[in-house]
Amino acid sequence: MKLKKILPQLLTLLFIILVFGFFTMNAQENMGARGLEFGFGFLKTQASFDIQFSLIDYDGSHTYARAYLVGLLNTLLVAFIGIILATLLGAVVGVARLSPNYLIRKTASFYIEFFRNIPLLLQIFFWYFAALRALPMLEDAPMLLNSSFMTIKGLYAPAPIWTNFDVFFTTIIAAMIIIFFFVRYAKKKQEQEGKRLPVFFISLAIFIFLPLLTFLIGGVDLSWSYPVIRQMSQSSYTFDGGLKIPPELIALTLALTLYTATFIAENVRAGIQGIGKGQKEAAASIGLTPNQVLKLVIMPQALRIIIPPTTNQYLNLTKNSSLAAAIAYPDLVLVFAGTAMMQTGRAIEIVGITMATYLTISLCISLLMNWYNKRIAIQEK
Amino acid sequence: MSINKFNILKFNHHKNRNISLILGVLFFSVGIIDFYLNNYFDKNITYFLPRIINFFTPLIFGVIGLHLIRIEFSGIKILDSLNKNINTTNFNAALSVSIILLIIFGLPPLLNWLILDANFAGDSKEACTGGGACWVYIKVWFNRFMYGMYPNAEQWRVNLTFIAVLVFMAAGFFAPIRLRNYLSLYYVLILPIISFILIYFIVSGGSFGLVWVETGAWGGLSLTFMVSFFSLIFCFPLGMMLALGRRSNLPIVKYSSLSFIEFWRGVPLITVLFMSAVMFPMFLPDGTYVDKLIRVVVAITLFEAAYTAEVIRGGLQALPRGQYDAAKSLGMGYWRMHVFVILPQALKLVIPGIANTFLALIKDTPLIFVVGLLELVGMLNLAKTNPKWLGFSMEGYVFAGIIFWIICYSMSKYSQNLELKYKTDR
């Protein structure tokens, strides 16, 4: 009986050790033959390549570690924007699929069936190489909203110029902390005295007025830098000032959002359909208003069904953002596993770091979502 | 009665029904016609209205029209179903009108581009004169999109292999009753070996007087099928082992399966392919060369096996405990219990899930461009840069989109049907 338990485990362990040992030995031999030594020292050396789009200061004189950071931030940027937009779009489309209106319902399901059945890479290529290439040249671009230009080279929008931004930012954080404690206080008061404070409006007021105050007394100021077209030579133009959003970022965000939103929409639909009609009727019969029914009865239950699969979609979106490499958006894969690896030849270290980074991101998102999921789960006694 | 007099927009009274109907239809058609003329004939029939609402006139007219024809229990069948389906409230009416306007705005140009103004005849770029799509491009490059760089004269070999594999696959369905028990063995073990031999000897060639065609020349849609077929066939047994391992109560087996699954599920496929391209050769003894295609299939198999394992685990968990207890009480050991009782039931439950995994796998295959293998999407990107055929990327992507859409949509419908079919069983 004991042998039955120990033998399979021993065999598994032996197999794992053998495979890893074989790989390590070969890797050592191969790297020795190429004159490389395993180690991460190369991260501190000068990268000497440029990156098209970066959120932090970067040029060729910085280190590989800095280049890694630039790539990571770019990946996180796409993932962040994509998750927000896909959630909004997915929620709207998911609700629209249950609409009593025939046209709305059919449009929503057409959208879902259309976009979820085409490979994401193809969609990214389509937006980048076909759709966005049809945009006007810099000099022909019409002005949108009196400030921005949508051109073949990307979107040029007004850029905010802050003075004393840190003061403003600190106030926003402070406002959030105050709101957090206020909500707890209001809840306690309601439980003890049965009084309901207008939590939402007071929080909103705190959130708006506190940062606004800094403009008056904190020395915070905001002005806009508008993009202005300038002719460089006979046929070449450029924009001065403003914020440039590269077409790669637009195409990638667009494709990721449209693709992932279809899956989120299906989750939302399943979540709402999963709530019995009796819940709604029972809530209405004890005198809750329709808004209260939605907020206090339907949504808390629907969210419980919606969140776990949606977390998976967030993870997928983050992982899919690595397709950026295909259209040369400088994300982690392109910058680090692409350019940096070509230059250093350190395949094992670099692919290892890249994979470890994605694993960490995935684990972080799923931990966060598990925590949230646990918070809203049914507390059975 | 007196209230109705003040309600100028609501003609609920029976006498006014017809007036309301006529007015409503009139308003609605004015809105639609205005929009149509504005878009396609550059005429504005509502120019006399203030500029600020001019942009929204079709919408406003449409909503007013729909509001007027919203008569409850009118007795007219068409009208009642119209009101019930697209016109329950003013908000709904506004949404309906917006969608109708969107269709009028988008559909005719799309049809023009796709079919009416498109060029089908000819065999060079010069044949494309119209403003529409240039399907000549697809026609000329069709063989490349389907077979990649595979020599034209040898393409019958690819077709033959595909037909043969399909025949072998279908053979399982017509197997005699007494061989039914060995069916899973056939699909999991024998079919992959047969397919591999077929592909090795016929598609690859090199013997029996067939010309050797290296894997670098394979490509196009046939490569998509090959990669996804082999990955699916290999990832299934591996996923099954991992799923069993994850549910095992032996700690080492359990945690090694768990970390294997979580590792592959946590990284993007593109890094896995990078790994197979640049990192994997470093792990093998110096001088061993593994073909690119095989490396890719191994990489995708390991990646998809983790997802398959999770799907199968779902099936295992869905089985009631009684099944395990009953099997154990008959004195069955671990393997006998799983092979004869648990897996046959669990696998039936997860067929839709497996179909979804396969769907994801097909949608992931274009990624193999990172190691230099060009399937359909990769071939498109290659063809697009051909100096003779510049500027047709739109046609290429639309073509590939249609093909992938047909494959994936039919598969997802099929898996939904399976899901419904197996749901009623339990």
mmCIF file with all atom_site columns, all heavy atoms in Angstrom, chain A residues 168-178:
data_model
loop_
_atom_site.group_PDB
_atom_site.id
_atom_site.type_symbol
_atom_site.label_atom_id
_atom_site.label_alt_id
_atom_site.label_comp_id
_atom_site.label_asym_id
_atom_site.label_entity_id
_atom_site.label_seq_id
_atom_site.pdbx_PDB_ins_code
_atom_site.Cartn_x
_atom_site.Cartn_y
_atom_site.Cartn_z
_atom_site.occupancy
_atom_site.B_iso_or_equiv
_atom_site.pdbx_formal_charge
_atom_site.auth_seq_id
_atom_site.auth_comp_id
_atom_site.auth_asym_id
_atom_site.auth_atom_id
_atom_site.pdbx_PDB_model_num
ATOM 1  N N   . PHE A 1 168 ? -1.695  68.309 -6.989  1.00 0.00 ? 168 PHE A N   1
ATOM 2  C CA  . PHE A 1 168 ? -2.996  67.887 -7.487  1.00 0.00 ? 168 PHE A CA  1
ATOM 3  C C   . PHE A 1 168 ? -3.204  66.392 -7.265  1.00 0.00 ? 168 PHE A C   1
ATOM 4  O O   . PHE A 1 168 ? -4.225  65.939 -6.762  1.00 0.00 ? 168 PHE A O   1
ATOM 5  C CB  . PHE A 1 168 ? -3.075  68.225 -8.978  1.00 0.00 ? 168 PHE A CB  1
ATOM 6  C CG  . PHE A 1 168 ? -4.385  67.893 -9.612  1.00 0.00 ? 168 PHE A CG  1
ATOM 7  C CD1 . PHE A 1 168 ? -5.495  68.691 -9.394  1.00 0.00 ? 168 PHE A CD1 1
ATOM 8  C CD2 . PHE A 1 168 ? -4.508  66.793 -10.442 1.00 0.00 ? 168 PHE A CD2 1
ATOM 9  C CE1 . PHE A 1 168 ? -6.700  68.392 -9.981  1.00 0.00 ? 168 PHE A CE1 1
ATOM 10 C CE2 . PHE A 1 168 ? -5.717  66.483 -11.030 1.00 0.00 ? 168 PHE A CE2 1
ATOM 11 C CZ  . PHE A 1 168 ? -6.810  67.292 -10.796 1.00 0.00 ? 168 PHE A CZ  1
ATOM 12 N N   . PHE A 1 169 ? -2.166  65.626 -7.614  1.00 0.00 ? 169 PHE A N   1
ATOM 13 C CA  . PHE A 1 169 ? -2.252  64.177 -7.518  1.00 0.00 ? 169 PHE A CA  1
ATOM 14 C C   . PHE A 1 169 ? -2.435  63.741 -6.069  1.00 0.00 ? 169 PHE A C   1
ATOM 15 O O   . PHE A 1 169 ? -3.257  62.880 -5.764  1.00 0.00 ? 169 PHE A O   1
ATOM 16 C CB  . PHE A 1 169 ? -0.973  63.575 -8.113  1.00 0.00 ? 169 PHE A CB  1
ATOM 17 C CG  . PHE A 1 169 ? -1.043  62.100 -8.286  1.00 0.00 ? 169 PHE A CG  1
ATOM 18 C CD1 . PHE A 1 169 ? -1.872  61.553 -9.246  1.00 0.00 ? 169 PHE A CD1 1
ATOM 19 C CD2 . PHE A 1 169 ? -0.285  61.261 -7.492  1.00 0.00 ? 169 PHE A CD2 1
ATOM 20 C CE1 . PHE A 1 169 ? -1.945  60.186 -9.413  1.00 0.00 ? 169 PHE A CE1 1
ATOM 21 C CE2 . PHE A 1 169 ? -0.359  59.887 -7.656  1.00 0.00 ? 169 PHE A CE2 1
ATOM 22 C CZ  . PHE A 1 169 ? -1.186  59.355 -8.612  1.00 0.00 ? 169 PHE A CZ  1
ATOM 23 N N   . THR A 1 170 ? -1.655  64.377 -5.163  1.00 0.00 ? 170 THR A N   1
ATOM 24 C CA  . THR A 1 170 ? -1.771  64.028 -3.744  1.00 0.00 ? 170 THR A CA  1
ATOM 25 C C   . THR A 1 170 ? -3.194  64.303 -3.256  1.00 0.00 ? 170 THR A C   1
ATOM 26 O O   . THR A 1 170 ? -3.757  63.508 -2.487  1.00 0.00 ? 170 THR A O   1
ATOM 27 C CB  . THR A 1 170 ? -0.801  64.869 -2.904  1.00 0.00 ? 170 THR A CB  1
ATOM 28 O OG1 . THR A 1 170 ? 0.335   65.156 -3.689  1.00 0.00 ? 170 THR A OG1 1
ATOM 29 C CG2 . THR A 1 170 ? -0.387  64.136 -1.659  1.00 0.00 ? 170 THR A CG2 1
ATOM 30 N N   . THR A 1 171 ? -3.766  65.415 -3.723  1.00 0.00 ? 171 THR A N   1
ATOM 31 C CA  . THR A 1 171 ? -5.114  65.742 -3.268  1.00 0.00 ? 171 THR A CA  1
ATOM 32 C C   . THR A 1 171 ? -6.116  64.692 -3.728  1.00 0.00 ? 171 THR A C   1
ATOM 33 O O   . THR A 1 171 ? -7.034  64.344 -2.979  1.00 0.00 ? 171 THR A O   1
ATOM 34 C CB  . THR A 1 171 ? -5.549  67.106 -3.818  1.00 0.00 ? 171 THR A CB  1
ATOM 35 O OG1 . THR A 1 171 ? -4.411  67.901 -4.000  1.00 0.00 ? 171 THR A OG1 1
ATOM 36 C CG2 . THR A 1 171 ? -6.517  67.774 -2.883  1.00 0.00 ? 171 THR A CG2 1
ATOM 37 N N   . ILE A 1 172 ? -5.938  64.195 -4.953  1.00 0.00 ? 172 ILE A N   1
ATOM 38 C CA  . ILE A 1 172 ? -6.867  63.171 -5.449  1.00 0.00 ? 172 ILE A CA  1
ATOM 39 C C   . ILE A 1 172 ? -6.777  61.930 -4.573  1.00 0.00 ? 172 ILE A C   1
ATOM 40 O O   . ILE A 1 172 ? -7.795  61.371 -4.145  1.00 0.00 ? 172 ILE A O   1
ATOM 41 C CB  . ILE A 1 172 ? -6.540  62.815 -6.917  1.00 0.00 ? 172 ILE A CB  1
ATOM 42 C CG1 . ILE A 1 172 ? -6.995  63.940 -7.816  1.00 0.00 ? 172 ILE A CG1 1
ATOM 43 C CG2 . ILE A 1 172 ? -7.217  61.507 -7.307  1.00 0.00 ? 172 ILE A CG2 1
ATOM 44 C CD1 . ILE A 1 172 ? -6.906  63.623 -9.274  1.00 0.00 ? 172 ILE A CD1 1
ATOM 45 N N   . ILE A 1 173 ? -5.540  61.543 -4.236  1.00 0.00 ? 173 ILE A N   1
ATOM 46 C CA  . ILE A 1 173 ? -5.383  60.369 -3.364  1.00 0.00 ? 173 ILE A CA  1
ATOM 47 C C   . ILE A 1 173 ? -6.013  60.630 -2.008  1.00 0.00 ? 173 ILE A C   1
ATOM 48 O O   . ILE A 1 173 ? -6.731  59.795 -1.460  1.00 0.00 ? 173 ILE A O   1
ATOM 49 C CB  . ILE A 1 173 ? -3.882  60.039 -3.210  1.00 0.00 ? 173 ILE A CB  1
ATOM 50 C CG1 . ILE A 1 173 ? -3.301  59.786 -4.591  1.00 0.00 ? 173 ILE A CG1 1
ATOM 51 C CG2 . ILE A 1 173 ? -3.686  58.872 -2.253  1.00 0.00 ? 173 ILE A CG2 1
ATOM 52 C CD1 . ILE A 1 173 ? -2.482  58.589 -4.745  1.00 0.00 ? 173 ILE A CD1 1
ATOM 53 N N   . ALA A 1 174 ? -5.770  61.853 -1.486  1.00 0.00 ? 174 ALA A N   1
ATOM 54 C CA  . ALA A 1 174 ? -6.338  62.208 -0.183  1.00 0.00 ? 174 ALA A CA  1
ATOM 55 C C   . ALA A 1 174 ? -7.857  62.135 -0.251  1.00 0.00 ? 174 ALA A C   1
ATOM 56 O O   . ALA A 1 174 ? -8.510  61.603 0.657   1.00 0.00 ? 174 ALA A O   1
ATOM 57 C CB  . ALA A 1 174 ? -5.882  63.607 0.218   1.00 0.00 ? 174 ALA A CB  1
ATOM 58 N N   . ALA A 1 175 ? -8.430  62.652 -1.357  1.00 0.00 ? 175 ALA A N   1
ATOM 59 C CA  . ALA A 1 175 ? -9.884  62.635 -1.503  1.00 0.00 ? 175 ALA A CA  1
ATOM 60 C C   . ALA A 1 175 ? -10.405 61.212 -1.482  1.00 0.00 ? 175 ALA A C   1
ATOM 61 O O   . ALA A 1 175 ? -11.431 60.916 -0.843  1.00 0.00 ? 175 ALA A O   1
ATOM 62 C CB  . ALA A 1 175 ? -10.282 63.319 -2.811  1.00 0.00 ? 175 ALA A CB  1
ATOM 63 N N   . MET A 1 176 ? -9.673  60.292 -2.159  1.00 0.00 ? 176 MET A N   1
ATOM 64 C CA  . MET A 1 176 ? -10.116 58.909 -2.183  1.00 0.00 ? 176 MET A CA  1
ATOM 65 C C   . MET A 1 176 ? -10.090 58.304 -0.787  1.00 0.00 ? 176 MET A C   1
ATOM 66 O O   . MET A 1 176 ? -11.007 57.559 -0.409  1.00 0.00 ? 176 MET A O   1
ATOM 67 C CB  . MET A 1 176 ? -9.224  58.088 -3.132  1.00 0.00 ? 176 MET A CB  1
ATOM 68 C CG  . MET A 1 176 ? -9.657  58.226 -4.588  1.00 0.00 ? 176 MET A CG  1
ATOM 69 S SD  . MET A 1 176 ? -8.297  57.939 -5.668  1.00 0.00 ? 176 MET A SD  1
ATOM 70 C CE  . MET A 1 176 ? -8.723  56.433 -6.374  1.00 0.00 ? 176 MET A CE  1
ATOM 71 N N   . ILE A 1 177 ? -9.044  58.634 -0.020  1.00 0.00 ? 177 ILE A N   1
ATOM 72 C CA  . ILE A 1 177 ? -8.963  58.089 1.339   1.00 0.00 ? 177 ILE A CA  1
ATOM 73 C C   . ILE A 1 177 ? -10.110 58.617 2.189   1.00 0.00 ? 177 ILE A C   1
ATOM 74 O O   . ILE A 1 177 ? -10.771 57.872 2.919   1.00 0.00 ? 177 ILE A O   1
ATOM 75 C CB  . ILE A 1 177 ? -7.590  58.437 1.968   1.00 0.00 ? 177 ILE A CB  1
ATOM 76 C CG1 . ILE A 1 177 ? -6.499  57.706 1.205   1.00 0.00 ? 177 ILE A CG1 1
ATOM 77 C CG2 . ILE A 1 177 ? -7.554  58.044 3.434   1.00 0.00 ? 177 ILE A CG2 1
ATOM 78 C CD1 . ILE A 1 177 ? -5.107  58.106 1.584   1.00 0.00 ? 177 ILE A CD1 1
ATOM 79 N N   . ILE A 1 178 ? -10.375 59.936 2.058   1.00 0.00 ? 178 ILE A N   1
ATOM 80 C CA  . ILE A 1 178 ? -11.470 60.521 2.835   1.00 0.00 ? 178 ILE A CA  1
ATOM 81 C C   . ILE A 1 178 ? -12.786 59.838 2.485   1.00 0.00 ? 178 ILE A C   1
ATOM 82 O O   . ILE A 1 178 ? -13.574 59.488 3.366   1.00 0.00 ? 178 ILE A O   1
ATOM 83 C CB  . ILE A 1 178 ? -11.565 62.043 2.564   1.00 0.00 ? 178 ILE A CB  1
ATOM 84 C CG1 . ILE A 1 178 ? -10.321 62.732 3.125   1.00 0.00 ? 178 ILE A CG1 1
ATOM 85 C CG2 . ILE A 1 178 ? -12.829 62.628 3.190   1.00 0.00 ? 178 ILE A CG2 1
ATOM 86 C CD1 . ILE A 1 178 ? -10.239 64.183 2.792   1.00 0.00 ? 178 ILE A CD1 1
#
